[in-house]
């Protein structure tokens, strides 16, 4: 090919990449850009910028022979307003094509998609090459430099998307390009709003308020309808300050329905690891229904709830967590806190809970799940406990009545009195509950059903805490490593099934022999409880391997119905049970301790190690016949 052919090919290639203003306007026919309804200037296949996101969301280079201008020039009438002329805004981060609409005399300047000059001319952003109803926060002036306060720009983009709901019920998408955006106090008040980034490692919302939520999602005051179809995806929300003590989650929502959280990371600052300051909670959704969380992560919430799903005066629920991760959260997921309501089905598919493994947490054997009651309240920030054993400074506790348990941090212990860093109103009263220990999932407060498939607990006192009349618990395929208990029953549970699971602990120092269990029962209201364990194995590691068989420990006087099947190495029971089972069984205990009862016959091991039996209740260790 000769040089003339090469030059011609280069020119054609260049023209394909940078179409002239004349040809772009001619392609629109006799009408103007305004008459075309702000249609796309060029085919969607033409890429304006250097990346896909730039070409889609509007941060590409100018093109089409457009007149370069600044927003200030448009507003000051420095740029001549000509029908059919394309203007390219050159303000950093706010680049894009605009056109003059002479027919519009009333649209308000929104500082992002519409700019009004001093003489009343309307210049509008051409959105044809963007997804419908999409609003880039940088169009509205967001910097994303983690220095400037971008809250106003974010709220302007959200408000623009919300305006569509009043017009045609469509809502819109707020796009967050890569950057670190310093924001707080953002509100979403209309349905069908999506806030979307370019990935949780690229688009980061940095909280800088000690109390305000980064996002508050609920209908306006007085509007009783639910907030439908909200979506948060592909970004990170990070707390970067020391939050005030109290119920101050990073994201708060009310009556959220049919909504999704996808590829979102909620993260507390590393600066507060180890116990300095009160970090609050990550996400709180009151009366949520039909919610889906996919590939989300919650990390470093050591002194509150990572996820709080309370219910009040409504029957709500149907929440699904798929492939989600909780890292270093003292209380990972709380389901159904509230009164006069029921939280329906909760499903966790392939969740992973990794507890904090330093300080006063489970790996060092310093924290063991405990429950006691408040005897008195000497001061607003103190409670006196009936049994302060195992309650230590630096630990997280739940304090209050069953209807209003709230997290607190123990800042000091003096005798039976503990001092708390918390915000609970009213103050705990005598008889209230105090729960202590790291918990992956707290389920109860009239929750109906919890199912966990192929899950993982690592470094927790309790994998799942069942409290206050939970209906049905099913755990299938759970791996629990270095966790004290898989399930703790703290109130009546209608039915619990644990199957196909492995419990493993490395405990060379022998710190857990009297605590480590699959299921521990600390409180029951009746005998009407069914517990089934199928195809599970409990094993220790290292030099200490005496855990085999510690399926259930019952610390109450009630007798739940227990069945254990397909168990390797036998089964050992502690407590009073009305039980049936199959497979090999290991029994032990003195005549007045846990032993085997078959009808009216008693079978026990006496002090000499001999096996004895008696038809009737024995009155002493030797009151029976040697076997």
């Amino acid at each position: 090919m000769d040089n003339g052919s090469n030059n011609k090919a280069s020119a054609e290639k260049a023209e394909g990449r940078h179409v002239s203003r004349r040809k772009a306007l001619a392609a629109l026919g006799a009408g103007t850009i305004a008459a075309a309804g702000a249609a796309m200037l060029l085919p969607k296949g033409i890429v304006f910028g250097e990346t896909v996101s730039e070409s889609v969301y509007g941060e590409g280079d100018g093109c089409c022979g457009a007149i370069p201008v600044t927003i200030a020039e448009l507003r000051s009438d420095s740029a001549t307003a000509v029908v059919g002329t394309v203007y390219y805004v050159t303000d950093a981060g706010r680049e894009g094509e605009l056109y003059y609409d002479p027919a519009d005399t009333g649209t308000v300047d929104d500082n992002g998609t519409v700019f009004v000059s001093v003489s009343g001319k309307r210049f509008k952003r051409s959105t044809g090459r963007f997804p419908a109803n999409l609003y880039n926060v940088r169009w509205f002036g967001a910097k994303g430099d983690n220095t400037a306060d971008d809250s106003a720009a974010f709220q302007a983009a959200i408000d623009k998307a919300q305006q569509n709901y009043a017009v045609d019920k469509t809502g819109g998408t707020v796009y967050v390009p890569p950057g670190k955006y310093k924001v707080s106090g953002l509100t979403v008040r209309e349905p069908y709003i999506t806030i979307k980034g370019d990935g949780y490692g690229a688009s980061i919302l940095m909280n800088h308020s000690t109390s305000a939520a980064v996002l508050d999602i609920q209908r306006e005051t007085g509007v009783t309808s639910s907030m439908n179809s909200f979506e948060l995806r592909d970004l990170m929300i990070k707390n970067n300050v020391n939050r005030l003590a109290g119920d101050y989650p990073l994201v708060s929502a009310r009556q959220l329905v049919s909504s999704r959280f996808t590829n979102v990371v909620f993260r507390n600052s590393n600066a507060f690891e180890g116990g300095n300051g009160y970090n609050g909670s990550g996400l709180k959704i009151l009366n949520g229904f039909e919610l889906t969380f996919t590939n989300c992560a919650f990390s470093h919430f050591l002194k509150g709830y990572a996820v709080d799903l309370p219910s009040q005066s409504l029957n709500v629920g149907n929440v699904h967590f798929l492939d989600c991760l909780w890292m270093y959260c003292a209380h990972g997921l709380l389901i159904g806190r509230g009164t006069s309501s029921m939280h329906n089905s909760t499903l966790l598919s392939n969740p992973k809970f990794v507890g904090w493994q330093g300080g006063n947490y489970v790996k060092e054997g310093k924290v063991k799940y405990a429950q006691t009651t408040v005897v008195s309240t000497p001061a607003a920030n103190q409670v006196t406990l009936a049994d302060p054993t195992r309650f230590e400074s630096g630990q997280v506790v739940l304090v209050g009545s069953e209807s209003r348990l709230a997290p607190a941090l123990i800042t000091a212990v003096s005798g039976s009195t503990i001092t708390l860093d918390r915000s609970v109103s009213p103050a705990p009263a005598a008889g209230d509950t105090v729960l202590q220990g790291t918990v992956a999932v707290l389920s109860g407060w009239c929750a109906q059903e919890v199912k966990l498939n192929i899950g993982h607990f690592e470094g927790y006192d309790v994998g799942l805490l069942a409290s206050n009349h939970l209906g049905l618990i099913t755990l299938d395929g759970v791996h629990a490593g270095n966790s004290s208990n898989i399930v703790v029953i703290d109130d009546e549970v209608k039915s619990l099934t644990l199957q196909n699971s492995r419990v493993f602990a490395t405990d060379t120092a022998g710190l857990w022999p009297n605590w480590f269990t699959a299921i521990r029962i600390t409180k029951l209201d009746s005998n009407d409880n069914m517990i089934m364990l199928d195809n599970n194995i409990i094993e220790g590691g290292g030099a200490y391997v005496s855990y085999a068989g510690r399926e259930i420990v019952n610390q109450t006087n009630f007798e739940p119905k227990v069945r254990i099947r397909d168990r390797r190495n036998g089964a050992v029971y502690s407590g009073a049970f009305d039980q049936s089972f199959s497979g090999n069984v290991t029994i032990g205990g003195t005549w007045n301790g846990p032993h085997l009862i078959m009808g009216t016959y008693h079978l026990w091991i006496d002090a000499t190690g001999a096996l004895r039996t008696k038809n009737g209740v024995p009155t002493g260790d030797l009151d029976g016949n040697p076997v």
Side-chain angles (χ1 to χ4, degrees):
M1 183 179 292
D2 58 22
N3 290 336
S5 299
N6 285 333
N7 292 337
K8 181 179 180 182
S10 299
E12 289 174 346
K13 182 178 180 181
E15 184 166 337
R17 185 169 61 249
H18 298 292
V19 180
S20 69
R21 171 173 171 263
R22 175 181 57 79
K23 287 190 176 183
L25 296 177
L28 293 173
T32 64
I33 295 176
M40 181 172 168
L41 297 180
L42 297 175
K44 290 191 176 181
I46 294 179
V47 177
F48 289 80
E50 298 177 354
T51 68
V52 174
S53 62
E54 287 174 348
S55 67
V56 173
Y57 297 111
E59 293 188 36
D61 299 328
C63 69
C64 317
I67 299 174
V69 296
T70 65
I71 294 173
E73 289 172 337
L74 290 176
R75 285 174 167 158
S76 67
D77 278 326
S78 299
T80 303
V82 179
V83 175
T85 296
V86 180
Y87 302 88
Y88 184 79
V89 171
T90 59
D91 297 67
R94 309 178 76 176
E95 297 89 348
E97 297 81 25
L98 283 81
Y99 67 94
Y100 165 50
D101 185 358
D104 187 352
T105 60
T107 302
V108 176
D109 189 324
D110 64 14
N111 196 37
T113 63
V114 179
F115 301 99
V116 181
S117 74
V118 292
S119 63
K121 298 180 178 64
R122 267 69 180 173
F123 296 90
K124 298 182 177 180
R125 193 176 290 271
S126 299
T127 58
R129 65 187 176 94
F130 314 121
N133 296 343
L134 181 139
Y135 307 98
N136 187 330
V137 296
R138 290 190 181 251
W139 292 351
F140 298 85
K143 302 296 184 183
D145 58 7
N146 198 27
T147 299
D149 188 343
D150 289 328
S151 302
F154 264 74
Q155 191 62 57
I158 293 171
D159 291 345
K160 191 68 179 180
Q162 293 183 133
Q163 290 176 10
N164 298 317
Y165 182 77
V167 175
D168 55 13
K169 308 300 183 185
T170 57
T173 296
V174 176
Y175 169 63
V176 184
K180 292 183 178 180
Y181 300 86
K182 188 178 177 182
V183 294
S184 68
L186 305 179
T187 61
V188 178
R189 295 292 182 259
E190 300 291 355
Y192 304 108
I193 300 299
T194 294
I195 301 177
K196 181 186 184 305
D198 257 0
Y200 58 79
S203 303
I204 304 174
L205 277 58
M206 305 288 291
N207 170 65
H208 64 96
S209 171
T210 58
S211 59
V214 173
L215 275 170
D216 180 50
I217 310 157
Q218 57 181 307
R219 300 305 301 271
E220 294 287 356
T221 302
V223 177
T224 58
S225 58
S226 299
M227 176 68 81
N228 289 283
S229 302
F230 171 81
E231 182 173 10
L232 191 67
R233 64 178 302 131
D234 302 325
L235 50 77
M236 177 188 293
I237 297 179
K238 183 178 181 182
N239 176 44
N240 207 39
V241 298
N242 190 1
R243 303 278 280 182
L244 295 178
D247 190 9
Y248 298 110
L250 291 180
V251 174
S252 178
R254 181 174 63 87
Q255 288 185 222
L256 201 59
V257 176
S258 299
S259 297
R260 294 181 292 177
F261 295 78
T262 306
N263 302 327
V264 180
V265 172
F266 295 82
R267 198 180 194 312
N268 243 345
S269 172
N270 291 352
F272 307 118
E273 293 177 9
N276 297 321
Y278 184 97
N279 292 333
S281 299
L283 170 65
K284 177 182 178 181
I285 302 177
L286 173 64
N287 294 337
F289 187 71
E290 293 180 354
L291 306 177
T292 303
F293 299 82
T294 305
N295 294 324
C296 292
F298 310 89
S299 67
H300 296 82
F301 293 97
L302 299 181
K303 300 170 188 174
Y305 304 123
V307 182
D308 185 8
L309 302 176
S311 308
Q312 275 191 328
S313 303
L314 287 176
N315 291 336
V316 296
N318 294 344
V319 181
H320 185 188
F321 292 89
L322 175 63
D323 295 328
C324 291
L325 170 66
W326 284 259
M327 289 286 291
Y328 309 143
C329 299
H331 296 87
L333 170 61
L334 174 61
I335 305 169
R337 177 168 60 100
T339 59
S340 304
S341 61
M342 178 176 288
H343 192 96
N344 295 311
S345 177
T346 301
L347 173 63
L348 294 98
S349 298
N350 195 31
K352 185 172 184 178
F353 296 87
V354 179
W356 187 248
Q357 296 189 15
N360 287 330
Y361 292 84
V362 67
K363 191 171 183 180
E364 294 188 3
K366 295 182 179 179
V367 175
K368 297 294 178 284
Y369 174 82
Q371 176 182 3
T372 187
T373 57
V374 175
V375 178
S376 62
T377 54
N381 65 334
Q382 293 180 322
V383 294
T384 300
L385 304 181
D387 179 10
T389 305
R390 293 197 297 255
F391 288 82
E392 301 176 6
S393 178
Q395 295 173 345
V396 178
V397 292
L398 303 177
V399 185
S401 66
E402 290 180 340
S403 64
R404 56 178 174 81
L405 279 172
L409 175 73
I410 300 177
T411 59
V413 177
S414 178
S416 296
T417 300
I418 62 175
T419 302
L420 302 173
D421 174 9
R422 59 166 173 73
S423 177
V424 179
S425 179
D432 277 356
T433 294
V434 181
L435 304 176
Q436 173 268 317
T438 56
V439 182
V441 182
L442 290 87
S443 181
W445 289 270
C446 295
Q448 186 181 50
E449 178 183 358
V450 175
K451 185 172 184 179
L452 193 153
N453 291 331
I454 319 301
H456 182 99
F457 298 132
E458 180 74 26
Y460 276 93
D461 294 313
V462 180
L464 188 150
L465 170 62
S467 179
N468 196 21
H469 305 288
L470 182 67
L472 174 65
I473 301 176
T474 304
L475 296 94
D476 191 348
V478 175
H479 173 89
N482 293 328
S483 294
S484 298
N485 303 266
I486 304 298
V487 180
V488 170
I489 299 175
D490 188 54
D491 209 327
E492 186 161 348
V493 174
K494 293 299 182 184
S495 177
L496 184 152
T497 300
L498 176 64
Q499 60 188 13
N500 305 318
S501 299
R502 175 178 184 258
V503 188
F504 177 84
T506 301
D507 184 24
T508 56
L511 296 174
W512 296 343
N514 296 318
W515 179 250
F516 182 85
T517 62
I519 297 174
R520 180 172 292 270
I521 304 171
T522 61
K523 178 184 176 184
L524 289 177
D525 285 349
S526 72
N527 297 322
D528 189 21
N529 298 264
M530 296 182 62
I531 301 172
M532 293 169 283
L533 295 93
D534 295 345
N535 195 32
N536 303 300
I537 183 168
I538 304 177
E539 56 185 321
Y544 199 86
V545 292
S546 68
Y547 301 136
R550 294 189 63 83
E551 269 85 357
I552 301 178
V553 170
N554 182 17
Q555 296 175 277
T556 75
N557 294 322
F558 293 101
E559 298 181 353
K561 297 163 179 65
V562 177
R563 185 191 73 187
I564 300 177
R565 297 191 311 177
D566 302 325
R567 173 68 174 89
R568 280 199 281 167
N569 301 326
V572 176
Y573 302 96
S574 174
F577 292 100
D578 175 14
Q579 54 197 308
S580 64
F581 45 82
S582 63
N584 296 327
V585 177
T586 302
I587 62 172
T590 61
W591 68 276
N592 59 351
H595 62 275
L596 185 61
I597 303 174
M598 298 177 293
T600 59
Y601 285 86
H602 291 246
L603 186 67
W604 72 96
I605 298 175
D606 65 25
T608 67
L611 187 62
R612 290 182 176 270
T613 183
K614 180 181 180 181
N615 184 5
V617 179
T619 59
D621 190 44
L622 303 179
D623 181 22
N625 300 318
V627 177

